Amino acid sequence: MWLLPFSYSWYFCTTISKYTKDMPIPMHDISQWYNEIVEKAGLAEHSPVRGAMTIKPYGWALWENIQRPLDEAFKATGHQNAYFPLFIPLSFLAKEAQHVEGFAQECAVVTHYRIHTDSQSRAVKPDPEAILEEPLVVRPTSETIIWHTFKKWIRSYRDLPLLINQWANVVRWEKRPRLFLRTSEFLWQEGHTAHATAEEALQEAHRMLNLYADFVENYLAIPVIKGRKTPTERFAGAVETFTIETLLIDGKALQAGTSHFLGQNFAKAFDVRFLTQNNELEYVWATSWGVSTRLIGAVILSHGDERGLILPPRIAPLQVVIIPVWRKEEEKDKVSAYAHALADHLKKKNIRTRVDDDPQHRPGWKFNEWELKGVPLRWVVGPKDLEEQTVEVVWRNTNERTTCNYQQAIESISTWLENFQKALYQRAQERLNRHTHYIDSYVEMRRILEEKGGFVLAHWDGTADTELKIKEETGATIRCIPLEAESEVGACIYTGRPSQQRVLFAKAY
RNA sequence: CGAGGCGUAGCGCAGCCCGGUAGCGCACCUGCUUUGGGAGCAGGGGGUCAGCGGUUCAAAUCCGCUCGCCUCGACCA
């Protein structure tokens, strides 16, 4: 067996391998596996501040590769980036009743503007003489400060639609933080738009939901279910909340992105009106939408396996790692030069490539390390390959390996990466299908949720009361009312009352 | 915020029950040999035992409080 320095050695070899193939996975084990991967792969670590994480260079590179295509997509759909303040006057937050109620439990508040050293205790403390007249809330989201600003920007129908996005950090004080999935401070983008009509705003909410769905499926290789949230699960202050829900390898659901139709709630709270073509004053219609660094958590928990991360090529910081191997000293330079020549060819094709010729580690160590970091393809070159002008190619997802001519490998690289991307998606799609259950008996639903996890599609009578009882009894919530499902008359799984459509239940993060 | 577990070298841990010189593996430094799946040998450096307080001649060890981390619940992108 390997003599590994890390405790995950035994862990990956024995425990996890049997879980990642299929659900169910005991939560205890998958948590540990997740924490180990995040830390050992160099994505992030805990900071001295509870609930706040340090994103490390490899994790940040991943985030940049998520940000870039999203940012381009926002701009391509006519949105402009801007930046609004981190601090929100308490009175702003209070202006929309539902909104403030929804976030009240998790707000960090700035109350002082100075610290001083206490003359008695020598302790450094907030200066009691320096209390802010109005406390500032560290933004949990920016609707209020943005709508305060929109009031100044919007005069007439000619100013509409107003399509704004900001990349920012937000703070929601979390009781139970988990790296990437739920931290007290997280990074995201929040889109905020204003429109002349309800139809147009609703259309925008749908448009951005679809943009998210396409991104998550095409870039992150994670299939999603698009749907509406129930009133209980709705964003505080929204008329309608849309979501994309994903199913992770442990059978739990994760909300990967949301889009809200805000109606005129914020326009009324902040008195944002515009003159129509008929010279009449009307309140504007609004949307907001966001995805966060949680997407990184989704990637880890969708594609990872017993060896570590598996990253979709489109967002992988490195797509190919080239590892030179030699026996004799005189081979070293030649093989290394060969490896770098291959890398240059790949870089010319815009393939994110790195040669790992670090003399500190032997090849076996590097194989394990780059597998842990999820690099899609590994090219290994040694004296034999140099002589025969070949390269050994190893696929991270299947561990399949082939040796082929180097020119052929360079020719094929783009196709290989595309196929890798598709294969990852397909595997995730199959898992989603395999663990989506159409259930008509409450007993059966409880059994499935308890034993296997996954999605349950069942009929619901549409009441918050039933929703709450099912949540209390099974731990599962209604993730969404699917948008692309056929209507189907049935009986509520809990009360037997009539239902027009199945809704998606799952235990969630 | 409730329940349970854990804090000893950078990481993983032993020592604690039964108080008496701070240990092991990996990592790190030096040298030589190695390199196609986590290299070997030799030598070396590194600790306010989470913090604060108490008991004691003496505390990593016993007692109290605080903080942090992990798992499970209630709350959430």
Side-chain angles (χ1 to χ4, degrees):
Chain A
M1 213 56 244
W2 307 339
L3 291 170
L4 302 192
F6 305 131
S7 64
Y8 66 74
S9 57
W10 61 268
Y11 201 81
F12 281 5
C13 290
T14 58
T15 319
I16 283 304
S17 56
K18 72 175 182 253
Y19 292 137
T20 44
K21 283 176 191 145
D22 204 7
M23 290 182 283
I25 301 168
M27 205 42 223
H28 175 75
D29 291 0
I30 201 78
S31 293
Q32 214 164 319
W33 171 87
Y34 179 81
N35 290 337
E36 294 244 15
I37 285 197
V38 169
E39 204 178 318
K40 305 296 189 215
L43 296 177
E45 63 187 33
H46 290 281
S47 76
V49 181
R50 179 186 158 76
M53 65 177 166
T54 302
I55 301 177
K56 298 172 77 175
Y58 195 61
W60 187 259
L62 191 54
W63 177 236
E64 284 180 330
N65 288 345
I66 289 172
Q67 267 189 305
R68 197 181 313 108
L70 275 174
D71 195 57
E72 284 167 9
F74 298 151
K75 286 169 181 162
T77 44
H79 302 85
Q80 290 183 294
N81 284 337
Y83 186 79
F84 297 84
L86 171 68
F87 300 123
I88 300 179
L90 194 55
S91 58
F92 281 25
L93 210 69
K95 283 195 179 180
E96 215 287 333
Q98 285 185 334
H99 189 69
V100 68
E101 196 188 324
F103 285 105
Q105 298 303 313
E106 44 186 344
C107 284
V109 186
V110 179
T111 54
H112 294 70
Y113 58 85
R114 195 164 66 208
I115 54 174
H116 77 321
T117 306
D118 189 278
S119 50
Q120 300 290 312
S121 65
R122 307 305 303 161
V124 177
K125 292 176 177 172
D127 187 343
E129 302 293 311
I131 297 176
L132 287 170
E133 245 173 70
E134 180 177 2
L136 298 170
V137 174
V138 181
R139 63 181 163 217
T141 181
S142 303
E143 271 77 3
T144 56
I145 198 147
I146 285 178
W147 279 90
H148 171 89
T149 310
F150 277 9
K151 179 179 168 60
K152 295 193 280 187
W153 292 1
I154 296 169
R155 290 277 105 93
S156 86
Y157 72 94
R158 294 181 200 274
D159 298 321
L160 298 175
L162 180 59
L163 307 175
I164 298 294
N165 177 65
Q166 88 162 337
W167 290 95
N169 57 339
V170 286
V171 168
R172 297 179 186 177
W173 214 257
E174 289 293 342
K175 305 277 161 71
R176 201 179 154 195
R178 302 205 55 190
L179 294 175
F180 291 116
L181 295 172
R182 196 187 300 103
T183 47
S184 288
E185 179 189 6
F186 59 93
L187 305 178
W188 76 348
Q189 57 69 216
E190 46 182 322
H192 296 272
T193 69
H195 306 263
T197 65
E199 295 69 36
E200 193 186 303
L202 195 57
Q203 201 181 351
E204 168 78 0
H206 278 287
R207 175 167 76 147
M208 299 321 285
L209 185 80
N210 288 326
L211 189 152
Y212 286 154
D214 289 345
F215 174 78
V216 171
E217 296 195 329
N218 293 325
Y219 282 81
L220 310 188
I222 303 172
V224 302
I225 308 276
K226 291 183 272 192
R228 286 185 295 129
K229 285 290 188 188
T230 63
T232 336
E233 300 274 328
R234 202 176 275 158
F235 174 76
V239 172
E240 190 86 85
T241 287
F242 302 101
T243 177
I244 48 173
E245 296 287 327
T246 60
L247 185 65
L248 306 178
I249 51 178
D250 58 356
K252 282 192 171 185
L254 183 78
Q255 178 175 313
T258 52
S259 173
H260 314 291
F261 170 58
L262 302 173
Q264 294 176 313
N265 290 349
F266 286 92
K268 284 178 178 166
F270 288 86
D271 189 36
V272 184
R273 287 182 285 182
F274 71 104
L275 274 175
T276 66
Q277 293 185 55
N278 305 326
N279 205 32
E280 289 165 325
L281 267 184
E282 282 182 16
Y283 287 110
V284 302
W285 299 82
T287 78
S288 68
W289 27 273
V291 294
S292 71
T293 36
R294 173 180 269 190
L295 289 176
I296 294 175
V299 168
I300 300 165
L301 282 166
S302 290
H303 304 307
D305 71 6
E306 71 276 14
R307 289 166 184 256
L309 277 179
I310 299 178
L311 296 177
R314 287 186 133 186
I315 57 159
L318 280 178
Q319 295 166 313
V320 180
V321 62
I322 303 180
I323 300 178
V325 172
W326 63 89
R327 284 186 193 286
K328 300 169 206 149
E329 192 60 25
E330 64 263 28
E331 291 168 344
K332 184 177 164 183
D333 291 341
K334 288 182 189 167
V335 171
S336 193
Y338 181 51
H340 281 282
L342 291 177
D344 288 344
H345 278 108
L346 292 179
K347 284 174 189 167
K348 269 184 206 144
K349 302 187 82 171
N350 291 320
I351 307 298
R352 295 189 286 273
T353 310
R354 175 170 161 177
V355 175
D356 185 358
D357 54 3
D358 184 348
Q360 302 227 19
H361 297 294
R362 301 175 59 174
W365 192 93
K366 295 173 186 173
F367 297 166
N368 286 291
E369 184 66 12
W370 293 112
E371 280 169 2
L372 176 59
K373 285 176 172 279
V375 179
L377 293 180
R378 176 173 78 230
W379 286 14
V380 185
V381 292
K384 272 180 278 176
D385 298 296
L386 178 58
E387 196 175 311
E388 291 163 29
Q389 301 286 287
T390 57
V391 52
E392 184 196 43
V393 184
V394 184
W395 274 257
R396 174 64 184 84
N397 56 340
T398 57
N399 207 31
E400 179 196 341
R401 35 192 94 185
T402 58
T403 299
C404 69
N405 176 273
Y406 83 90
Q407 282 165 328
Q408 194 191 333
I410 290 162
E411 291 274 306
S412 311
I413 188 66
S414 302
T415 313
W416 286 344
L417 291 172
E418 280 164 31
N419 290 343
F420 192 109
Q421 181 86 26
K422 285 181 200 152
L424 267 195
Y425 180 80
Q426 202 169 351
R427 189 170 71 170
Q429 178 73 64
E430 281 162 10
R431 195 184 66 238
L432 177 72
N433 293 344
R434 201 162 59 242
H435 295 286
T436 301
H437 314 277
Y438 287 76
I439 304 292
D440 293 312
S441 130
Y442 188 58
V443 175
E444 178 72 355
M445 174 173 167
R446 291 186 74 156
R447 193 184 64 79
I448 294 267
L449 286 170
E450 204 159 303
E451 291 175 12
K452 304 168 74 175
F455 283 153
V456 167
L457 281 162
H459 281 284
W460 168 57
D461 63 17
T463 67
D465 192 46
T466 301
E467 187 181 10
L468 181 66
K469 284 195 173 122
I470 292 177
K471 184 183 174 185
E472 282 170 355
E473 292 175 20
T474 68
T477 49
I478 298 177
R479 303 315 303 154
C480 70
I481 303 160
L483 290 176
E484 288 165 1
E486 290 160 30
S487 69
E488 174 196 315
V489 177
C492 173
I493 196 160
Y494 192 80
T495 62
R497 291 199 286 242
S499 150
Q500 299 304 308
Q501 192 192 328
R502 287 178 188 271
V503 299
L504 191 70
F505 287 93
K507 292 187 184 178
Y509 271 94

